[in-house]
Amino acid sequence: MKKYLSPVRIYVLWHPGFDHPPDLAGKPSSSWTEREKARSGQGLRLARQIYHWFRLENMEGIPVYFRSANAPGKTQPPAIPQNCRINYILPLVDAHMVSSPEWRAYVAGFLRAVAGEGDCVNRLLPVAVEPVAYNMPEGMRRLNFIRHDLSGAEPPSPEILIGRLTEVICRDLNAYRRAQGQTHGGPGVPGKLKIFLSHAKADDTREAVALKEYLQGETQCEAFFDETDIASGYDYADVLGKAIQAESAGLIVVQGDHYADRPWCRREIRDFLKPVREGAGRSRAQPAYFIPPVVVVQTMKGERVARTIPDLGHAPCLRWNEGAARLVVTTLLREILFGQFYCLIARDLIGAGLPAGRVMINRTPDPVMIERILADRGERSRMTEVIHPGYGLSSLEREGLQGAFPKLKFTSFAEWTAVADDSVETLDLGGRVLAVSVGNAQDILSWGAGDEHNEELLRRLLQPLFRRQVSLLYGGALPQAAQPLHPWEQPVNFTELFLHLLLSERSAGFRGGDAAPRLYNVSAWPHSEVVTPQVRAQWTDICSFIAVTPQSAGLGETPKPLAPEDPSHWWGMPRAERSEARRQRESAKKEYDLARKALGARCLSAMRRLQCGPMEFVPPDGPEGAVPAAETFQTLAHLYLGGKVTGALGVVPGIFEEVYHAIQAGKPLFLIGAGRGAAGLLADWLAAPPEDRPQELRIEWYLQNPNAAAVHERLAESPAAGLPSPADLLDGLWGVIEEVRQSGTLARVLNNTLSDEENRDLLTATSSRKICAAVWKGISSLAETRSVNP
């Protein structure tokens, strides 16, 4: 379809020792001070913060990848691919990296490969997180490090580093585009980024002045503050237009109480946000439009009723407070950067040759923007499709735009470039249920990714299926009630991801009696206890909770908790008796904890077996207000991604257990190896079956962990009827792998309508496009050949 999917990528590099300070080795985490807690895991936390800044929740923005753990069987992290235009490589240089010969060679190697394969360029932007960072190899010492010293008593805020990185990458990409002739002006290195401040003089000007002072004192940007920064005799609109068309510019709207009432302010917005043809010298049949970036700062005091400004569309909006200047400016720089990035994508798409009538834009579409493009020199008669950034609009956004422009189709860059089976576009999956098993993969850093990348893959894979009204079955835990403010401070919660994806797709187009897609959340005891009536009420429109308790699974009663300890009970007791009584209580507490763990493991096993057969749930509402009756469904297929290998709640990995039960039930399986973890191991063994049995398929390997050994012993004392022991389950999986090795038949085992070759490609694929195409093809075929509830 085209040469590049993503023309720019960002790689964050850090030594594993940055996450594990040596003075914390062997020290229990329960005794860490707040300072020590902040130091533990700080490399991954900082990398995740960079990811979430440059890659937005809806998958807009620049792809960000990680390099920290060594690649499997190697002494260095995975290589960085050279199949894009620019790789921005950000090593977080600390003492561990400086003192490691392997890491010194790995990072300095990018100096020798400034020009990669073809026309790929590596930009090395080292970040000094300790003073010793400048002792890296000689070639790196000549570079201008970004200073972010974390060794002091009061380390700088990560937001400062984010701001510096954003400005550096923004300026560099702007220079690259001009040198490549990819912007409106001629080639050459541009000057400073131009930032225009728009405000109403009837409002308080303190915020606008503070923004100007920050731009002039803390950045290398050029601030334009209406007539005070425009030379006498020059037309403001003329200066504005030339800055947009010849250079990179952004606009900050300081929206106070009087702003929307001022004609000149409205004119500034209208002139600035006028869509500009990108590459006007090319064929008019394939235009791309550049809409300049804008950020709105709300400074309204509430002294009068103000109006909204429709021209601003989906512009980011921030509330002003003391110290907000950095965030405002950094957000605008990110918008400028994203605009440049999307223009490069548009150029690549146009260069691949697109049918007439397609129009590229560099921002999420809104009605005012589309109307202005249609009015541009006769586009109304030619335009048939608008291709925009991201992974796709929500149903609510898409429905609103289609209502305003019924003759236009709105497609994201990712949707346009997807290699999908055409049948998925017209497929009706209403009443179908896809089971998904996904978990946090412990080894994913060894492959240069994080759980965020599995989240991206699931968004891209599931969103088109939700639009076809497929429902989801997932046994993951709900997000905690009290969550950290920022996503990089907590692991990815996939239940939350599915709930919000479904919510965005169900917010439009579905009405009362429609068979709308749902999430069936199966929770095994004791996690089922957190599903309170309040939780059920919160998600009742899109989620049905199915609890697997010891009673419902026929596993007996839950252990009775110990009576609360009464300190007065020990008063007056002889020392020897008191010591013995305390020993007995501690023993009883350990016995109670072990009994709960063993029973919880059985409930998980029962849940995993239950998911492979008919499942019953009660919908929230019955017909015409009647009390709803229980309904039954079965899964169409099961999909596996990531998952823990060690530290599972049971004895063996949960995905191993789920795959075993699905194979025994003859369910169609889609196994994705790219997310690594337990699913990745199974994918490797099925794609290339080993001669010798892997250690992860031997029960002895898990029993090295004392906690797993204790649970295993308790399970062996009283096995549950119909549930295989952990050893039998591992034997069964090894038998499946041996069968594939001997017969070479994957299609029979996975039963998903894909051929042996197609399944092997899916097991080993690392491209999200290939993975999605294979899964969509298999699901389409299954839906056409199998009844809704077989």
Side-chain angles (χ1 to χ4, degrees), residues 288-462:
Y289 281 93
F290 178 84
I291 295 89
V294 60
V295 167
V296 180
V297 183
Q298 289 283 357
T299 63
M300 289 184 284
K301 308 297 191 297
E303 298 170 352
R304 63 198 302 272
V305 176
R307 297 187 180 277
T308 58
I309 303 174
D311 307 67
L312 293 172
H314 294 292
C317 184
L318 297 91
R319 181 69 181 172
W320 178 264
N321 54 53
E322 292 301 320
R326 174 184 291 111
L327 178 59
V328 171
V329 172
T330 304
T331 301
L332 179 62
L333 292 175
R334 182 177 66 178
E335 292 296 301
I336 296 174
L337 174 61
F338 285 0
Q340 297 165 344
F341 172 69
Y342 292 132
C343 283
L344 289 178
I345 293 180
R347 281 293 171 211
D348 288 336
L349 289 175
I350 291 174
L354 298 176
R358 273 65 173 181
V359 170
M360 315 289 170
I361 58 175
N362 68 318
R363 281 179 50 183
T364 301
D366 64 78
V368 174
M369 175 204 305
I370 299 302
E371 187 59 45
R372 296 190 73 177
I373 293 175
L374 288 171
D376 179 48
R377 292 178 290 178
E379 287 294 356
R380 192 179 302 274
S381 62
R382 287 189 292 266
M383 277 178 57
T384 59
E385 186 172 5
V386 177
I387 303 176
H388 58 84
Y391 271 39
L393 301 171
S394 70
S395 290
L396 181 64
E397 294 169 316
R398 192 185 297 258
E399 185 182 70
L401 286 169
Q402 291 291 173
F405 307 100
K407 295 183 179 180
L408 291 182
K409 181 179 180 182
F410 294 88
T411 309
S412 71
F413 287 148
E415 291 169 325
W416 178 257
T417 57
V419 185
D421 188 270
D422 292 338
S423 61
V424 80
E425 290 296 324
T426 57
L427 192 63
D428 181 7
L429 294 174
R432 310 287 186 164
V433 180
L434 173 67
V436 173
S437 298
V438 58
N440 306 97
Q442 297 150 316
D443 64 341
I444 196 168
L445 277 177
S446 299
W447 301 86
D451 287 327
E452 286 84 358
H453 299 93
N454 281 347
E455 183 180 16
E456 283 195 35
L457 174 58
L458 286 170
R459 283 181 180 275
R460 184 166 189 170
L461 176 63
L462 295 177

Side-chain angles (χ1 to χ4, degrees), residues 54-71:
F54 289 105
R55 193 68 162 168
L56 305 186
E57 184 179 358
N58 63 354
M59 300 302 107
E60 290 189 30
I62 301 175
V64 179
Y65 300 97
F66 303 149
R67 292 293 186 270
S68 178
N70 290 339

Side-chain angles (χ1 to χ4, degrees), residues 3 160 219 392-393 403 427 459 532 555 596 734 758:
K3 189 173 183 180
I160 296 177
T219 75
L393 301 171
L427 192 63
R459 283 181 180 275
T532 63
L555 300 174
R596 281 181 62 89
W734 175 239
E758 288 171 330

Side-chain angles (χ1 to χ4, degrees), residues 83-304:
N83 57 353
C84 64
R85 290 178 180 267
I86 303 179
N87 287 321
Y88 287 104
I89 301 170
L90 318 178
L92 309 178
V93 187
D94 73 329
H96 296 91
M97 185 177 290
V98 173
S99 61
S100 168
E102 293 80 9
W103 271 89
R104 291 170 68 89
Y106 179 73
V107 176
F110 299 114
L111 289 171
R112 297 190 299 273
V114 173
E117 300 174 8
D119 56 357
C120 180
V121 176
N122 293 323
R123 299 278 199 235
L124 192 60
L125 304 175
V127 179
V129 298
E130 289 183 7
V132 295
Y134 306 101
N135 292 335
M136 287 295 278
E138 180 63 32
M140 288 187 63
R141 299 180 194 180
R142 295 193 295 268
L143 299 178
N144 186 14
F145 279 61
I146 298 174
R147 294 162 178 79
H148 190 70
D149 189 359
L150 299 175
S151 61
E154 296 185 5
S157 166
E159 286 74 20
I160 296 177
L161 174 61
I162 294 291
R164 291 171 179 166
L165 287 173
T166 306
E167 182 177 356
V168 168
I169 296 175
C170 184
R171 286 172 56 85
D172 185 83
L173 190 58
N174 186 42
Y176 173 85
R177 288 182 64 235
R178 286 182 59 78
Q180 296 292 315
Q182 297 287 346
T183 190
H184 308 286
V189 178
K192 296 182 178 181
L193 301 173
K194 299 185 184 299
I195 307 299
F196 291 82
L197 296 169
S198 177
H199 69 288
K201 293 181 176 58
D203 294 319
D204 194 333
T205 62
R206 287 180 297 179
E207 296 89 351
V209 171
L211 286 166
K212 177 185 177 182
E213 291 176 348
Y214 178 83
L215 283 164
Q216 293 176 334
E218 302 293 333
T219 75
Q220 298 183 29
C221 301
E222 188 173 359
F224 283 79
F225 193 67
D226 56 48
E227 73 279 359
T228 64
D229 291 302
I230 304 294
S232 299
Y234 285 83
D235 183 84
Y236 182 84
D238 184 57
V239 173
L240 191 70
K242 288 181 179 179
I244 296 169
Q245 296 189 30
E247 309 187 28
S248 183
L251 176 69
I252 298 176
V253 172
V254 184
Q255 188 175 7
D257 294 287
H258 297 86
Y259 187 90
D261 297 337
R262 296 302 186 262
W264 180 252
C265 294
R266 298 291 294 270
R267 179 186 170 188
E268 286 178 351
I269 294 175
R270 183 196 63 198
D271 291 345
F272 192 87
L273 292 179
K274 179 182 178 181
V276 179
R277 278 182 178 267
E278 179 75 4
R282 295 184 178 252
S283 170
R284 289 183 53 82
Q286 298 176 345
Y289 281 93
F290 178 84
I291 295 89
V294 60
V295 167
V296 180
V297 183
Q298 289 283 357
T299 63
M300 289 184 284
K301 308 297 191 297
E303 298 170 352
R304 63 198 302 272

Side-chain angles (χ1 to χ4, degrees), residues 608-763:
R608 289 159 182 156
R609 182 181 59 181
L610 177 68
Q611 292 178 155
C612 296
M615 299 194 68
E616 188 177 273
F617 79 104
V618 179
D621 300 298
E624 299 181 357
V627 176
E631 298 181 10
T632 302
F633 69 88
Q634 288 202 41
T635 53
L636 176 68
H638 291 237
L639 183 143
Y640 303 95
L641 176 70
K644 289 183 178 180
V645 177
T646 59
L649 296 176
V651 177
V652 298
I655 280 186
F656 283 10
E657 197 168 4
E658 294 192 28
V659 169
Y660 171 83
H661 285 298
I663 291 176
Q664 294 300 308
K667 287 289 184 180
L669 279 68
F670 296 96
L671 199 57
I672 298 174
R676 309 319 306 167
L681 285 177
L682 285 174
D684 290 344
W685 298 331
L686 288 171
E691 293 283 343
D692 299 324
R693 186 167 177 169
Q695 63 181 4
E696 294 88 352
L697 289 179
R698 299 178 183 273
I699 190 62
E700 297 79 13
W701 191 71
Y702 297 96
L703 299 186
Q704 298 176 64
N705 183 301
N707 291 327
V711 172
H712 182 265
E713 182 179 356
R714 180 56 56 91
L715 294 176
E717 291 175 0
S718 55
L723 293 177
S725 70
D728 290 342
L729 185 145
L730 295 176
D731 288 344
L733 284 178
W734 175 239
V736 170
I737 294 167
E738 283 195 308
E739 177 189 340
V740 173
R741 178 169 57 84
Q742 294 168 3
S743 67
T745 303
L746 273 173
R748 192 198 66 78
V749 171
L750 299 178
N751 192 29
N752 56 19
T753 76
L754 300 179
S755 67
D756 288 337
E757 183 179 356
E758 288 171 330
N759 270 304
R760 195 166 283 106
D761 287 344
L762 175 60
L763 294 170

